[in-house]
């Protein structure tokens, strides 16, 4: 591609510390690869250049780009690593040299860590919180896990981390829990993902000998996606650089989406310059990915954030136009499948399309609908709907209700009953649960009576109660009922959602499991069939899923997994106020949370090249469920301004001769719209004074700024469920009911 002046400036920059701000789609991979090849031609030793990438996929992409541009297999190229690969390499070196103990496989999963924290809370938490711990275990586990994670990524004392998180003094005992967890982990020689960096960097911080071992081996360090760097990664970079290496970092504060790992925009905005003095500041402000309409949408959205550089992303003149579609309806799945079928019928290749969502549970309904429609797709096998435990449990319930369970061999029946005895979990240990599942699998009917007759006298009263609840719920199953109604009745009879919530170790896991069941319930409603009819339908879906061998289907993935990637067609689903922004936790700061979620939305938007589809619910008065309300971020897009301004710029893109025309906008332009026109040399003419402003796209409590009929202008500062808080310009903070908000408030 034709390189811009900005890119040439980076490629030919002198060997000194450099800080490069690069907008989405700015061609930074190509630019950095050209810079390395430029340095190699000048005689730079490739063995003294180290490139650090955020993940394995980015590493592979950069290696391929570098080899492609070098176009000579004989050319020795520098090593490209991920941070964690670098950390693990140092870890093993320090083990070999006797500075660290060897660790035991496997690497600790998040679930294992949370379970161990729960055990420690029960064993060592204060006696006066044990009752509250049983009632609110997820809150305590999440507080402890966050303290543990950030303590490792920040590399300060547990006390300092505790204070930085702003935890209440009544939770001070969590510091002891974290230290006990670390003692347990070291005793068993186990490590988690964070420990791959935490252990070696801790050694480096305390040992001048080890610092000398790793420092000053490189002339140049180049780090990509620096906005997602956390403290421990930053410290590792300092140790490797030493006094010798010139460090170049590249990133975009607006794309910081890994705050839960300790990443902060401030590392790019200020920290780098503090530890690597007087860096040369360079930028890549043109996007080669998308056109003016999408650039304007993205600029409008992210301008509502405060922790950022005030930079406008602009579409490069060579970039084709990007079409944008907002489709508000009451069924994302139907709209997505219908749109996909039209695209494919018109010749669009399926591998060009990605369906993106905030959390994986949102994919269940879409995946099942794609299977039913015969549309080929790709998804992480561990995340697929038919591999999801809750989907399997719903199907096991229908097998029991229909009586089809008797047609299976005994091992399969044992598996079905094992699933059902965990839906909800009856509280038995694994041995007894297996014993009961085996017993039930040998019956030819009368499973409710068999379950009740089995109960040993030594069972705890709580276990007996749970068994009776499940037995009663089984007894009410009807083979001729509609499957969706049967599931709803069963959920009510068994208190399923409460049980799933109580059993989960974290709120996130609880929400995911319930969302899986509810997604199945919605899908069953579309089928409108009996249990046996639904099971036959799923038999067909399973056959279609097993027959899928193509690697070129539509991709289903989460926003976090799209980082650094792009597609011709992007479909972003679930633009409602439950998932974008995602529901807050009690300890979250309202403004910080909104800025973080807005950055995630920004990343999702900017993956599209040719067409962007946004799917969300229509605004409905009187409905307070967050899932049924459009995302509060939609008004931030300034849709009509972005579309009309983008249309105008696309219409004159090819006109490079003579004076550019003025833009007579059909509506008042935002400050972003005016600035965007200004950098393209376009003058702006205001519309007639009576022109109506853009209507709001959602309830007033989702707006950033509002006006009360009596109290005047203010800013919405909190969503309280049935109510919301407004801080007025005079300083007063007041709460208002959502039910009557439309009578007094208007969006500014």
């Amino acid at each position: 591609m034709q390189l811009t002046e900005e890119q040439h400036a980076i490629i030919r920059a002198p060997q000194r510390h450099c800080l490069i701000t690069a907008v989405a789609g700015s061609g930074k991979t190509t630019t950095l690869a050209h810079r390395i090849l430029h340095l190699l031609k000048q005689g730079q030793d490739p063995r003294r250049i180290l490139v650090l990438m955020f993940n394995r996929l980015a590493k592979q992409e950069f290696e391929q780009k570098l080899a492609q541009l070098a176009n000579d297999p004989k050319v020795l190229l520098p090593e490209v690593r991920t941070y964690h690969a670098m950390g693990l390499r140092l870890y093993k070196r320090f083990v070999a040299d006797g500075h660290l103990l060897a660790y035991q496989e496997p690497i600790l999963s998040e679930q294992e860590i949370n379970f161990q924290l729960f055990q420690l809370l029960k064993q060592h938490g204060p006696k006066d919180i044990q009752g509250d711990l049983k009632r609110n275990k997820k809150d305590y586990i999440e507080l402890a896990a966050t303290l543990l994670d950030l303590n490792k990524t920040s590399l300060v004392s547990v006390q300092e981390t505790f204070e930085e998180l702003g935890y209440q003094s009544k939770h001070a005992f969590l510091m002891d829990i974290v230290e006990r967890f670390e003692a347990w982990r070291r005793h068993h020689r186990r490590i988690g993902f964070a420990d791959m960096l935490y252990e070696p960097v801790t050694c480096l911080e305390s040992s001048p000998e080890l610092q000398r071992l790793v420092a000053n081996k490189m002339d140049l360090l180049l780090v990509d996606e620096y906005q997602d760097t956390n403290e421990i990664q930053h410290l590792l970079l300092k140790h490797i650089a030493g006094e010798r290496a010139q460090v170049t970092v590249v990133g975009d504060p607006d794309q910081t989406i890994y705050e839960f790992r300790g990443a902060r925009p401030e590392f790019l905005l200020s920290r780098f310059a503090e530890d690597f003095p007087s860096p040369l500041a360079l930028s890549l402000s043109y996007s080669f990915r998308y056109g003016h309409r999408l650039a304007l949408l993205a600029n409008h959205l992210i301008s509502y954030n405060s922790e950022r550089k005030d930079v406008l992303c602009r579409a490069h003149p060579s970039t084709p136009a990007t079409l944008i579609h907002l489709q508000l309806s009451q069924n994302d799945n139907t709209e997505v499948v219908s749109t996909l079928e039209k695209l494919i019928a018109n010749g669009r290749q399926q591998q060009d399309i990605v369906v993106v969502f905030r959390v994986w549970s949102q994919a269940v309904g879409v995946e099942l609908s794609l299977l039913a429609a015969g549309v080929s797709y790709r998804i992480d096998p561990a995340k697929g709907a038919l591999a999801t435990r809750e989907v399997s449990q719903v199907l096991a319930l229908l097998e029991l209700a229909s009586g089809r369970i008797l047609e299976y061999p005994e091992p399969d029946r044992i598996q079905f009953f094992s699933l059902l005895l965990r839906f909800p979990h009856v509280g038995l240990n694994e041995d007894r649960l297996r014993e009961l599942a085996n017993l039930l699998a040998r019956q030819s009917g009368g499973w409710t009576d068999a379950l009740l007759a089995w109960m040993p006298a030594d069972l705890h009263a709580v276990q007996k109660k749970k068994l009776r609840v499940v037995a009663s719920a089984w007894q009410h199953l009807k083979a001729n009922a509609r499957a969706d109604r049967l599931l709803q009745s069963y959920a009510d009879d068994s208190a399923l959602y409460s049980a799933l919530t109580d059993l989960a170790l974290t709120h996130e896991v609880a929400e995911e499991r319930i969302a899986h069941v509810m997604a199945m319930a919605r899908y069953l409603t579309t089928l409108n069939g009996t249990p046996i009819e639904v099971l036959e339908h799923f038999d067909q879906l399973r056959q279609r899923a097993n027959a899928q061998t193509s690697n070129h289907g539509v991709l289903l993935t989460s926003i976090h997994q799209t980082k650094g990637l792009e597609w011709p067609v992007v479909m972003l689903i679930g633009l409602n106020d439950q998932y974008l922004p995602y529901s807050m936790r009690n300890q979250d700061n309202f403004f910080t949370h909104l800025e973080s979620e807005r950055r995630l939305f920004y990343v999702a938007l900017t993956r599209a090249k040719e067409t962007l589809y946004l799917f969300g619910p229509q605004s409905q008065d009187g409905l307070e469920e967050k899932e049924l309300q459009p995302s509060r971020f939609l008004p931030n897009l300034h849709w009509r301004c972005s579309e009309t301004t983008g249309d105008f710029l696309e219409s004159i893109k090819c006109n490079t001769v003579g004076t550019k025309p003025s833009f007579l906008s059909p509506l008042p332009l935002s400050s972003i719209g005016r600035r965007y026109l200004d950098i393209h040399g376009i003058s702006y003419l205001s519309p007639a004074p009576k022109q109506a402003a853009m209507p709001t796209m959602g309830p007033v409590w989702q707006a950033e700024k509002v006006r009360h009929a009596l109290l005047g202008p203010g800013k919405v500062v909190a969503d309280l469920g049935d109510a919301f808080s407004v801080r007025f310009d005079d300083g007063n903070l007041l709460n208002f009911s959502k039910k009557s908000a439309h009578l007094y408030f208007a969006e500014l």
Side-chain angles (χ1 to χ4, degrees), residues 13-20 226 246-249 267-282 309:
Q15 290 203 43
R16 54 179 286 192
H17 298 319
C18 294
L19 190 157
I20 304 169
Y226 200 70
Q246 299 301 314
V247 182
T248 295
V249 298
F267 281 97
L268 197 60
L269 295 172
S270 59
R271 270 301 292 284
F272 180 77
E274 293 172 6
D275 290 331
F276 298 93
S278 305
L280 178 63
L282 299 165
K309 285 188 175 181

Side-chain angles (χ1 to χ4, degrees), residues 396 399 405 408 411-421:
E399 296 282 5
I405 194 171
Y408 291 89
D412 289 347
R413 295 202 301 274
I414 292 172
Q415 178 63 24
F416 283 135
F417 280 111
S418 295
L419 288 168
L420 289 169
L421 292 171

Side-chain angles (χ1 to χ4, degrees), residues 341-410:
E341 288 177 326
K342 291 175 185 176
L343 287 171
I344 295 167
N346 290 330
R348 172 60 75 181
Q349 297 296 307
Q350 294 176 1
Q351 67 267 26
D352 290 346
I353 307 171
V354 63
V355 178
V356 184
F357 34 81
R358 177 64 176 83
V359 294
W360 284 97
S361 58
Q362 291 175 280
V364 170
V366 174
E367 183 184 355
L368 295 176
S369 298
L370 291 178
L371 278 172
V375 177
S376 179
Y377 67 90
R378 294 168 288 148
I379 192 170
D380 181 340
K383 303 291 188 179
L386 297 177
T388 301
R389 179 170 60 178
E390 289 74 34
V391 171
S392 298
Q393 288 170 321
V394 171
L395 294 177
L397 185 69
L398 299 182
E399 296 282 5
L400 184 67
S402 67
R404 200 176 82 162
I405 194 171
L406 293 172
E407 299 176 13
Y408 291 89
E410 186 173 311

